[in-house]
Amino acid sequence: MQGFYFDELTVGQTAETSRVVGLADIQAFADVSGDHNPLHLDEAYASTTTFGERIAHGMLSASFISGLIANKLPGAGAIYLSQSLRFRRPVRIGDLVVVRVTIRTLDEGRAHVTLDTACEVSGKTVIDGEALVIAPRRPA
């Protein structure tokens, strides 16, 4: 198992990853999610919007948070209970999204971990929020 057991976690602990959002990512996300909003898929339509061009689905970038929690902190075996999200700025095709989670609180009795979650592009927040997960306990 990769990742951390609950007893190995500390408040302030952080993990980070990054990913460039490409055209194939946007198309794959549309296909999997069923979200075929032309803002994401149709350049002619998107050029008439506030953004002036196609942008990535907000939930595509938000899904990078899920991957970071599952793969690094707490890691394998973590169970999502909730996630709040605030979408601050658009993510454009070709943007490098830096994803970060930081442990805010630990609840020993329930093995609950509250994490501050954020995605940034060029040092500016594009998404922030909070996740609540259950971290795996060490086997007896």
Side-chain angles (χ1 to χ4, degrees), residues 59-96:
M59 292 304 290
L60 171 60
S61 296
S63 72
F64 301 156
I65 297 168
S66 177
L68 183 56
I69 289 170
N71 296 321
K72 291 190 179 179
L73 187 64
I79 300 168
Y80 242 116
L81 295 177
S82 66
Q83 174 77 58
S84 67
L85 299 167
R86 288 178 295 266
F87 297 93
R88 304 293 192 171
R89 292 178 174 80
V91 173
R92 293 179 163 76
I93 297 164
D95 279 350
L96 174 68

Side-chain angles (χ1 to χ4, degrees), residues 11-49:
V11 171
Q13 191 172 354
T14 189
E16 182 175 299
T17 191
S18 61
R19 179 164 178 160
V20 174
V21 175
L23 288 170
D25 298 316
I26 293 169
Q27 186 61 57
F29 190 83
D31 292 341
V32 169
S33 68
D35 180 347
H36 293 97
N37 184 332
L39 177 60
H40 309 302
L41 303 172
D42 182 332
E43 190 64 49
Y45 173 82
S47 70
T48 68
T49 70

